[in-house]
Amino acid sequence: MDYKRVLTIQDISCVGQCSLTVALPIISACGVETAVLPSSVLSTHTGGFSGYTFRDLTDDIPAIEEHWQKEGITFDALYTGYLGSTRQIDMVSHIMETCLKDGAKTIVDPAMADNGKLYYGFDSDFVKAMATLCGKADIIVPNITEACFMTGVEYKTEYDRAYIDTILSSLIKMGAKTVILTGVTYNDETTGVVVFENGEYSYYEHKKLPGGCHGTGDVYASAFTGALMRGFTTFDAAALAADYTLLCIEKTLPDIKKHWYGVKFETCIPELVSMINK
Ligand code: PXL
């Protein structure tokens, strides 16, 4: 088996099933070495808890990068999720240039917004910086809200293919290369992900569940990264990640009142391992 090493940069929310506590187990379960660079430590994520702690680790990043350079440590891919500041985004851009092997893939999930709103603490300067980072990445994994914030396209909850095409062309104008646009819904029964690669649109459509959960974007982008590193095509990795995320949501929904803060992705890891090794 081809053994790949991915670096993922995002926060650690100690409790809340998102960012690194999701990326590390999911990418590892895919059979891929997963190095982490925690950008900050929070007691919980910011989506529904109050009074959480926040330790910014930005100042530690340059020394970590320098040490890796001294040791000759490089990565086959870089996958970024939630980042805490524009300064952190600049540092991630630098790491893209110094710590990756030739031909390494860069995957950016601009984790900063959902359902038409920015997450707590983000502003238009952050959106601009994230759009610049997305312009440098090989693959971006935004939801419709994030895509709209970065491109200035009006956010809509009901739309047609022409609206999605407008978002895609605006992302390409911004500098994006391959786009995986999540949560694209054209009718009441189904939803899916759009894969836009080499100017070609494809759509992986699947059933729509009666509710959503916090943290599904992180589960999705992590499974996508793991599958891509295991040699799946972009479309097949996007489809596998959708199937896995759906399974995780299905396992969580019956208990959503108590378990409102994340998805029970651990319960579906055996299925993820089978899907990856098929
Ligand atoms: O990508 C989700 C996420 C990650 N990290 C932190 C968050 C959130 C979403 O709310 O608050 C700290």
Side-chain angles (χ1 to χ4, degrees):
M1 185 181 105
D2 192 16
Y3 188 69
K4 292 268 168 59
R5 176 160 65 193
V6 171
L7 168 65
T8 180
I9 309 179
Q10 38 194 319
D11 71 282
I12 294 185
S13 291
C14 301
V15 171
Q17 288 172 310
C18 67
S19 42
L20 280 187
T21 66
V22 163
L24 179 54
I26 289 180
I27 302 170
S28 298
C30 292
V32 177
E33 180 181 348
T34 312
V36 300
L37 203 175
S39 52
S40 51
V41 181
L42 294 86
S43 50
T44 65
H45 63 61
T46 66
F49 296 100
S50 57
Y52 48 82
T53 67
F54 181 87
R55 169 76 60 195
D56 188 352
L57 299 178
T58 307
D59 288 338
D60 292 2
I61 296 176
I64 292 171
E65 180 184 359
E66 222 172 275
H67 182 219
W68 287 342
Q69 282 183 275
K70 267 200 199 116
E71 290 290 323
I73 294 170
T74 54
F75 304 94
D76 298 292
L78 170 64
Y79 152 46
T80 68
Y82 184 102
L83 297 169
S85 64
T86 55
R87 219 176 123 231
Q88 258 175 25
I89 291 178
D90 290 343
M91 289 181 184
V92 166
S93 284
H94 200 260
I95 287 176
M96 262 185 191
E97 277 153 31
T98 59
C99 294
L100 299 185
K101 290 183 187 161
D102 282 346
K105 285 264 182 256
T106 51
I107 301 152
V108 172
D109 174 2
M112 61 180 174
D114 206 0
N115 300 313
K117 283 196 215 118
L118 283 176
Y119 294 150
Y120 181 81
F122 291 137
D123 58 16
S124 59
D125 282 348
F126 185 86
V127 171
K128 233 201 244 161
M130 186 55 88
T132 304
L133 184 67
C134 283
K136 294 178 183 167
D138 295 311
I139 303 178
I140 62 168
V141 194
N143 59 36
I144 293 180
T145 303
E146 289 155 349
C148 285
F149 270 109
M150 290 193 291
T151 56
V153 173
E154 184 194 355
Y155 174 72
K156 291 184 185 173
T157 50
E158 283 185 21
Y159 45 77
D160 55 13
R161 170 74 192 270
Y163 174 73
I164 295 300
D165 285 345
T166 302
I167 291 180
L168 292 170
S169 59
S170 306
L171 287 169
I172 298 302
K173 251 187 236 148
M174 192 182 87
K177 283 141 215 108
T178 297
V179 179
I180 317 289
L181 188 62
T182 61
V184 178
T185 307
Y186 293 121
N187 62 55
D188 291 340
E189 289 80 40
T190 65
T191 183
V193 292
V194 166
V195 176
F196 193 74
E197 189 169 44
N198 301 324
E200 286 203 15
Y201 170 104
S202 41
Y203 184 53
Y204 183 68
E205 187 175 16
H206 57 76
K207 69 181 164 182
K208 184 150 80 177
L209 295 173
C213 304
H214 192 278
T216 50
D218 298 356
V219 168
Y220 182 84
S222 301
F224 170 77
T225 300
L228 194 76
M229 285 300 100
R230 285 295 305 277
F232 284 60
T233 64
T234 308
F235 184 83
D236 288 347
L240 178 146
D243 291 343
Y244 174 61
T245 307
L246 206 64
L247 219 52
C248 295
I249 299 171
E250 272 175 330
K251 283 278 172 80
T252 311
L253 282 181
D255 189 27
I256 192 72
K257 277 223 170 93
K258 226 170 74 206
H259 199 99
W260 56 270
Y261 54 85
V263 274
K264 298 180 177 179
F265 70 93
E266 308 86 350
T267 60
C268 312
I269 282 188
E271 288 90 336
L272 173 63
V273 171
S274 323
M275 287 189 247
I276 281 282
N277 292 299
K278 231 187 207 159

